[in-house]
Amino acid sequence: MKAKRLCVVGVGTLGEALIRGIRARWAELPIAGSVRRAESLERLAGCGAEITCDVAQAVAGCDVVVVAVKPQAMPVVLRKIRESLEPGVLVISVAAGVTTARIEAELGQVPVVRVMPNTPCVLGAGMSVLTPGAFAGPAHMELARSLFDAVGKTAVLEEGLMNAVTGLSGSGPAYVYLVIESLAEAGVKVGIPRATSTLLAAQTVLGAARMVLELGEHPALLKDAVTTPAGCTVDGLMELEEGGLRVTLLKAVVRATERARELDPS
Ligand SMILES: NC(=O)c1ccc[n+]([C@@H]2O[C@H](COP(=O)([O-])OP(=O)(O)OC[C@H]3O[C@@H](n4cnc5c(N)ncnc54)[C@H](OP(=O)(O)O)[C@@H]3O)[C@@H](O)[C@H]2O)c1
């Protein structure tokens, strides 16, 4: 199954990243988009889609509609597009905390796929987790997944885990920025110029992540391979264990998951 005409309702940070990624992969796919304010049209000139402020016009004739407005704008936007959706259109929502059941309650028996992406989508290095609504079948999931594969990696999980996904990969970039910032600060402490220190820290995180993803090895084995007996790394690791890094990260994900659950009105 392939999209014939795509619409992105809400071309902000995420919507624009998605359009650019999809355009880079499918040069010929017609893409429409809609924004709320006329000022936004100028910013989006040349983004690879036909952007309008008329949401009904944007969704007309599309077989896939991605809704990428803020969660609080979802009810009004869903009501606006309801009348203009073609029968059988696939609706994909990226709105945090908005369940497929709530979307189906507004739109009726339409196939809905809910997605939780993260900010590195902007660079094509995102992590998006998809979950199907009651009327979305395997072909809808495959189509939705192919679109988000254009801006990073994808996984499929049951909807009950979406708050956990928010706590790990949704909030995760912030945790890693803190790690990079701290490593860079440490580099300065031991005499490395700040700009170089930040480069060393960030590239080290990127390289380590690629080792895990591309070699498919367990992170513990990769760590062991760097740790020479009586060497330097083991001393560094001992400090991290004493400082409770492991349990602190674990608690951060658990706490962010609980907060996502508290904010989830479903
Ligand atoms: N940013 C992320 O990395 C990220 C990650 C995970 C999930 N999300 C989800 O993605 C959604 C969008 O987030 P964002 O950060 O991209 O927000 P954003 O930058 O504020 O973009 C929202 C867009 O929606 C448009 N909009 C608002 N009301 C509208 C309406 N009535 N009709 C048509 N367009 C309308 C806005 O138009 P104007 O430009 O004219 O104001 C803007 O372009 C949110 O639901 C968020 O939970 C985002």
Side-chain angles (χ1 to χ4, degrees):
M1 191 176 177
K2 269 171 86 177
K4 294 184 193 75
R5 185 175 163 83
L6 174 77
C7 175
V8 177
V9 176
V11 190
T13 308
L14 194 83
E16 186 179 353
L18 201 54
I19 287 174
R20 289 187 186 277
I22 291 168
R23 172 59 67 229
R25 185 163 294 192
W26 293 283
E28 304 301 326
L29 176 68
I31 307 178
S34 82
V35 288
R36 190 178 31 139
R37 297 164 302 134
E39 311 83 280
S40 303
L41 296 173
E42 203 176 316
R43 168 176 62 83
L44 295 164
C47 78
E50 220 175 284
I51 312 290
T52 167
C53 289
D54 183 341
V55 66
Q57 182 197 323
V59 301
C62 291
D63 58 339
V64 181
V65 173
V66 179
V67 187
V69 298
K70 292 284 188 199
Q72 56 273 26
M74 283 293 280
V76 65
V77 168
L78 291 176
R79 255 168 258 142
K80 270 189 190 166
I81 66 173
R82 187 166 47 196
E83 307 307 323
S84 315
L85 292 179
E86 306 278 326
V89 68
L90 169 62
V91 175
I92 299 173
S93 162
V94 296
V98 181
T99 62
T100 55
R102 276 175 68 202
I103 298 168
E104 289 157 0
E106 287 290 348
L107 298 181
Q109 297 194 355
V110 299
V112 174
V113 173
R114 177 179 169 192
V115 184
M116 183 65 205
N118 65 8
T119 45
C121 280
V122 169
L123 298 177
M127 181 67 235
S128 303
V129 177
L130 294 81
T131 198
F135 310 102
H140 298 116
M141 286 299 283
E142 195 189 318
L143 172 50
R145 203 165 177 175
S146 72
L147 297 175
F148 283 84
D149 278 339
V151 287
K153 295 196 181 293
T154 55
V156 175
L157 286 174
E158 62 193 75
E159 189 156 17
L161 286 171
M162 285 312 240
N163 291 324
V165 168
T166 304
L168 177 52
S169 56
S171 305
Y175 311 154
V176 178
Y177 298 140
L178 196 65
V179 169
I180 293 173
E181 190 191 355
S182 307
L183 289 174
E185 192 71 27
V188 171
K189 171 75 181 156
V190 292
I192 302 170
R194 184 168 294 279
T196 311
S197 191
T198 303
L199 170 69
L200 265 59
Q203 178 63 18
T204 300
V205 169
L206 176 65
R210 286 190 59 193
M211 291 287 280
V212 174
L213 290 171
E214 293 171 32
L215 300 182
E217 293 263 25
H218 192 288
L221 288 180
L222 292 165
K223 178 199 68 176
D224 289 355
V226 186
T227 313
T228 320
C232 313
T233 308
V234 71
D235 279 7
L237 287 170
M238 275 175 60
E239 288 293 330
L240 293 177
E241 294 291 9
E242 198 180 319
L245 180 73
R246 234 180 245 272
V247 75
T248 304
L249 287 173
L250 208 143
K251 283 165 79 174
V253 174
V254 171
R255 186 65 199 100
T257 301
E258 286 167 359
R259 183 66 184 140
R261 206 172 290 136
E262 284 166 16
L263 295 173
D264 187 343
S266 61

